[in-house]
PDB file of all heavy atoms in Angstrom:
ATOM      1  N   SER A  14     -46.923 -16.070 -79.417  1.00 44.00           N
ATOM      2  CA  SER A  14     -45.612 -15.480 -79.139  1.00 44.00           C
ATOM      3  C   SER A  14     -44.573 -15.976 -80.129  1.00 44.00           C
ATOM      4  O   SER A  14     -43.656 -15.260 -80.509  1.00 44.00           O
ATOM      5  CB  SER A  14     -45.180 -15.781 -77.710  1.00 44.00           C
ATOM      6  OG  SER A  14     -44.956 -17.162 -77.558  1.00 44.00           O
ATOM      7  N   ARG A  23     -33.663 -14.763 -85.769  1.00 45.00           N
ATOM      8  CA  ARG A  23     -34.228 -15.777 -86.659  1.00 45.00           C
ATOM      9  C   ARG A  23     -35.089 -15.132 -87.739  1.00 45.00           C
ATOM     10  O   ARG A  23     -35.057 -15.537 -88.887  1.00 45.00           O
ATOM     11  CB  ARG A  23     -35.062 -16.769 -85.834  1.00 45.00           C
ATOM     12  CG  ARG A  23     -35.701 -17.844 -86.672  1.00 45.00           C
ATOM     13  CD  ARG A  23     -34.667 -18.759 -87.282  1.00 45.00           C
ATOM     14  NE  ARG A  23     -35.318 -19.637 -88.222  1.00 45.00           N
ATOM     15  CZ  ARG A  23     -34.819 -19.983 -89.386  1.00 45.00           C
ATOM     16  NH1 ARG A  23     -33.651 -19.555 -89.762  1.00 45.00           N
ATOM     17  NH2 ARG A  23     -35.477 -20.783 -90.181  1.00 45.00           N
ATOM     18  N   ILE A  27     -34.094 -15.246 -92.084  1.00 54.00           N
ATOM     19  CA  ILE A  27     -34.883 -15.809 -93.174  1.00 54.00           C
ATOM     20  C   ILE A  27     -35.071 -14.805 -94.308  1.00 54.00           C
ATOM     21  O   ILE A  27     -35.383 -15.184 -95.413  1.00 54.00           O
ATOM     22  CB  ILE A  27     -36.245 -16.337 -92.667  1.00 54.00           C
ATOM     23  CG1 ILE A  27     -36.864 -17.266 -93.696  1.00 54.00           C
ATOM     24  CG2 ILE A  27     -37.170 -15.218 -92.321  1.00 54.00           C
ATOM     25  CD1 ILE A  27     -38.056 -18.018 -93.190  1.00 54.00           C
ATOM     26  N   MET A  42     -41.683 -18.934 -92.232  1.00 92.00           N
ATOM     27  CA  MET A  42     -42.222 -18.135 -93.328  1.00 92.00           C
ATOM     28  C   MET A  42     -41.937 -16.672 -93.047  1.00 92.00           C
ATOM     29  O   MET A  42     -42.003 -16.228 -91.904  1.00 92.00           O
ATOM     30  CB  MET A  42     -43.728 -18.335 -93.465  1.00 92.00           C
ATOM     31  CG  MET A  42     -44.118 -19.701 -93.954  1.00 92.00           C
ATOM     32  SD  MET A  42     -45.890 -19.873 -94.174  1.00 92.00           S
ATOM     33  CE  MET A  42     -46.338 -20.550 -92.598  1.00 92.00           C
ATOM     34  N   ASP A  48     -44.516  -2.205-100.647  1.00 87.00           N
ATOM     35  CA  ASP A  48     -45.304  -1.126-100.050  1.00 87.00           C
ATOM     36  C   ASP A  48     -46.440  -1.799 -99.285  1.00 87.00           C
ATOM     37  O   ASP A  48     -47.372  -2.323 -99.881  1.00 87.00           O
ATOM     38  CB  ASP A  48     -45.850  -0.203-101.146  1.00 87.00           C
ATOM     39  CG  ASP A  48     -46.661   0.962-100.614  1.00 87.00           C
ATOM     40  OD1 ASP A  48     -46.868   1.037 -99.381  1.00 87.00           O
ATOM     41  OD2 ASP A  48     -47.105   1.795-101.426  1.00 87.00           O
ATOM     42  N   ASP A  82     -40.229 -13.860-105.335  1.00 95.00           N
ATOM     43  CA  ASP A  82     -40.028 -12.420-105.491  1.00 95.00           C
ATOM     44  C   ASP A  82     -41.027 -11.947-106.539  1.00 95.00           C
ATOM     45  O   ASP A  82     -40.972 -12.372-107.688  1.00 95.00           O
ATOM     46  CB  ASP A  82     -38.594 -12.139-105.937  1.00 95.00           C
ATOM     47  CG  ASP A  82     -38.237 -10.665-105.905  1.00 95.00           C
ATOM     48  OD1 ASP A  82     -39.115  -9.836-105.576  1.00 95.00           O
ATOM     49  OD2 ASP A  82     -37.072 -10.331-106.209  1.00 95.00           O
ATOM     50  N   GLY A  85     -45.089  -6.194-108.943  1.00 90.00           N
ATOM     51  CA  GLY A  85     -46.351  -5.885-109.593  1.00 90.00           C
ATOM     52  C   GLY A  85     -46.278  -4.719-110.555  1.00 90.00           C
ATOM     53  O   GLY A  85     -47.291  -4.327-111.124  1.00 90.00           O
ATOM     54  N   LYS A  95     -43.614  -9.270-112.794  1.00 95.00           N
ATOM     55  CA  LYS A  95     -42.532 -10.244-112.892  1.00 95.00           C
ATOM     56  C   LYS A  95     -42.505 -11.017-111.580  1.00 95.00           C
ATOM     57  O   LYS A  95     -42.518 -10.424-110.497  1.00 95.00           O
ATOM     58  CB  LYS A  95     -41.184  -9.574-113.125  1.00 95.00           C
ATOM     59  CG  LYS A  95     -40.056 -10.575-113.287  1.00 95.00           C
ATOM     60  CD  LYS A  95     -38.760  -9.901-113.671  1.00 95.00           C
ATOM     61  CE  LYS A  95     -37.674 -10.936-113.918  1.00 95.00           C
ATOM     62  NZ  LYS A  95     -36.434 -10.310-114.362  1.00 95.00           N
ATOM     63  N   SER A 105     -33.505 -36.620 -99.437  1.00 87.00           N
ATOM     64  CA  SER A 105     -33.299 -37.406 -98.221  1.00 87.00           C
ATOM     65  C   SER A 105     -32.488 -38.676 -98.463  1.00 87.00           C
ATOM     66  O   SER A 105     -31.980 -39.273 -97.524  1.00 87.00           O
ATOM     67  CB  SER A 105     -34.641 -37.767 -97.595  1.00 87.00           C
ATOM     68  OG  SER A 105     -35.430 -38.496 -98.505  1.00 87.00           O
ATOM     69  N   ASP A 108     -28.732 -37.955-102.425  1.00 84.00           N
ATOM     70  CA  ASP A 108     -28.366 -37.557-103.786  1.00 84.00           C
ATOM     71  C   ASP A 108     -27.832 -36.132-103.855  1.00 84.00           C
ATOM     72  O   ASP A 108     -27.162 -35.779-104.806  1.00 84.00           O
ATOM     73  CB  ASP A 108     -29.567 -37.680-104.724  1.00 84.00           C
ATOM     74  CG  ASP A 108     -29.808 -39.113-105.172  1.00 84.00           C
ATOM     75  OD1 ASP A 108     -28.921 -39.958-104.940  1.00 84.00           O
ATOM     76  OD2 ASP A 108     -30.877 -39.376-105.737  1.00 84.00           O
ATOM     77  N   LYS A 131     -40.145 -19.134-117.961  1.00 97.00           N
ATOM     78  CA  LYS A 131     -38.839 -19.761-118.126  1.00 97.00           C
ATOM     79  C   LYS A 131     -38.472 -20.524-116.866  1.00 97.00           C
ATOM     80  O   LYS A 131     -38.647 -20.025-115.755  1.00 97.00           O
ATOM     81  CB  LYS A 131     -37.778 -18.697-118.406  1.00 97.00           C
ATOM     82  CG  LYS A 131     -36.420 -19.252-118.703  1.00 97.00           C
ATOM     83  CD  LYS A 131     -35.457 -18.167-119.117  1.00 97.00           C
ATOM     84  CE  LYS A 131     -34.136 -18.783-119.507  1.00 97.00           C
ATOM     85  NZ  LYS A 131     -33.189 -17.792-119.974  1.00 97.00           N
ATOM     86  N   ALA A 134     -32.825 -25.177-114.152  1.00 91.00           N
ATOM     87  CA  ALA A 134     -32.463 -26.099-113.075  1.00 91.00           C
ATOM     88  C   ALA A 134     -30.954 -26.244-113.044  1.00 91.00           C
ATOM     89  O   ALA A 134     -30.307 -26.318-114.091  1.00 91.00           O
ATOM     90  CB  ALA A 134     -33.122 -27.463-113.294  1.00 91.00           C
ATOM     91  N   ALA A 146     -39.033 -32.925-118.090  1.00 86.00           N
ATOM     92  CA  ALA A 146     -39.778 -32.370-119.223  1.00 86.00           C
ATOM     93  C   ALA A 146     -40.036 -30.866-119.064  1.00 86.00           C
ATOM     94  O   ALA A 146     -40.253 -30.179-120.057  1.00 86.00           O
ATOM     95  CB  ALA A 146     -41.102 -33.102-119.403  1.00 86.00           C
ATOM     96  N   ASN A 148     -37.930 -28.915-116.849  1.00 88.00           N
ATOM     97  CA  ASN A 148     -36.688 -28.254-116.443  1.00 88.00           C
ATOM     98  C   ASN A 148     -36.057 -27.575-117.648  1.00 88.00           C
ATOM     99  O   ASN A 148     -36.051 -28.121-118.741  1.00 88.00           O
ATOM    100  CB  ASN A 148     -35.693 -29.277-115.881  1.00 88.00           C
ATOM    101  CG  ASN A 148     -35.930 -29.542-114.418  1.00 88.00           C
ATOM    102  OD1 ASN A 148     -36.620 -28.803-113.737  1.00 88.00           O
ATOM    103  ND2 ASN A 148     -35.353 -30.615-113.932  1.00 88.00           N
ATOM    104  N   SER A 156     -47.010 -10.129-128.888  1.00 96.00           N
ATOM    105  CA  SER A 156     -48.057  -9.658-129.786  1.00 96.00           C
ATOM    106  C   SER A 156     -48.231  -8.162-129.634  1.00 96.00           C
ATOM    107  O   SER A 156     -48.042  -7.609-128.557  1.00 96.00           O
ATOM    108  CB  SER A 156     -49.381 -10.355-129.461  1.00 96.00           C
ATOM    109  OG  SER A 156     -50.419  -9.823-130.252  1.00 96.00           O
ATOM    110  N   LYS A 161     -49.573  -8.767-135.331  1.00 94.00           N
ATOM    111  CA  LYS A 161     -48.559  -9.824-135.244  1.00 94.00           C
ATOM    112  C   LYS A 161     -48.645 -10.601-133.942  1.00 94.00           C
ATOM    113  O   LYS A 161     -49.062 -10.080-132.901  1.00 94.00           O
ATOM    114  CB  LYS A 161     -47.162  -9.265-135.439  1.00 94.00           C
ATOM    115  CG  LYS A 161     -46.735  -8.202-134.481  1.00 94.00           C
ATOM    116  CD  LYS A 161     -45.356  -7.699-134.864  1.00 94.00           C
ATOM    117  CE  LYS A 161     -45.097  -6.335-134.251  1.00 94.00           C
ATOM    118  NZ  LYS A 161     -43.886  -5.747-134.712  1.00 94.00           N
ATOM    119  N   LYS A 165     -42.701 -18.801-129.048  1.00 97.00           N
ATOM    120  CA  LYS A 165     -41.464 -19.580-129.042  1.00 97.00           C
ATOM    121  C   LYS A 165     -41.542 -20.578-127.897  1.00 97.00           C
ATOM    122  O   LYS A 165     -41.932 -20.230-126.774  1.00 97.00           O
ATOM    123  CB  LYS A 165     -40.268 -18.647-128.842  1.00 97.00           C
ATOM    124  CG  LYS A 165     -38.939 -19.362-128.722  1.00 97.00           C
ATOM    125  CD  LYS A 165     -37.786 -18.378-128.689  1.00 97.00           C
ATOM    126  CE  LYS A 165     -37.475 -17.984-127.269  1.00 97.00           C
ATOM    127  NZ  LYS A 165     -36.202 -17.262-127.148  1.00 97.00           N
ATOM    128  N   LYS A 171     -36.365 -32.095-124.220  1.00 90.00           N
ATOM    129  CA  LYS A 171     -37.248 -32.815-125.144  1.00 90.00           C
ATOM    130  C   LYS A 171     -36.880 -32.564-126.614  1.00 90.00           C
ATOM    131  O   LYS A 171     -37.639 -32.908-127.508  1.00 90.00           O
ATOM    132  CB  LYS A 171     -38.695 -32.411-124.885  1.00 90.00           C
ATOM    133  CG  LYS A 171     -39.166 -32.806-123.480  1.00 90.00           C
ATOM    134  CD  LYS A 171     -40.607 -32.527-123.266  1.00 90.00           C
ATOM    135  CE  LYS A 171     -41.498 -33.472-123.913  1.00 90.00           C
ATOM    136  NZ  LYS A 171     -41.955 -34.665-123.384  1.00 90.00           N
TER     137      LYS A 171
END
Side-chain angles (χ1 to χ4, degrees):
S14 66
R23 179 66 188 140
I27 197 169
M42 291 183 266
D48 181 357
D82 189 358
K95 182 174 184 177
S105 59
D108 280 348
K131 185 174 184 177
N148 275 345
S156 175
K161 58 183 160 187
K165 176 173 90 168
K171 297 185 76 88

